[in-house]
Amino acid sequence: MTEQENFKVMTLVQKINTIDKVIEDNIREYLVKDNGDMDLLNVVEQNGLILVYIEFQGACTSCDSSSGTHNSIENILQRMLSEDIRVLTV
């Protein structure tokens, strides 16, 4: 099974843990390098989508590039885990 196939059959708790691991392993270090960060606030399964709620921290809160960062985070999660993931910034 591929990572995406495994992700589809995971429980919600397993999905949250997997999303958090992808953030830790593939995303967070780049935010921290620019004096920013993010918090994973919630993950909700709704209407066939996986809604990932995040909040930017530090320099990311006022950065002009935060919309691009948001899109990059969503693209990474979709590519690695599921095309059904949507990232929402709170």
Side-chain angles (χ1 to χ4, degrees), residues 15-57:
K15 287 177 182 177
I16 292 168
N17 290 335
T18 302
I19 290 167
D20 195 42
K21 182 168 176 27
V22 169
I23 291 169
E24 286 298 321
D25 293 348
N26 301 281
I27 298 168
R28 179 161 277 124
E29 71 176 293
Y30 298 102
L31 301 176
V32 172
K33 282 182 184 178
D34 287 330
N35 297 315
D37 204 349
M38 63 172 278
D39 282 335
L40 176 61
L41 300 177
N42 199 10
V43 177
V44 177
E45 292 180 299
Q46 183 178 358
N47 299 324
L49 296 176
I50 301 154
L51 307 177
V52 177
Y53 292 88
I54 64 167
E55 180 178 34
F56 286 123
Q57 302 290 317

Side-chain angles (χ1 to χ4, degrees), residues 59-69:
C60 290
T61 61
S62 60
C63 180
D64 292 337
S65 299
S66 62
S67 63
T69 302

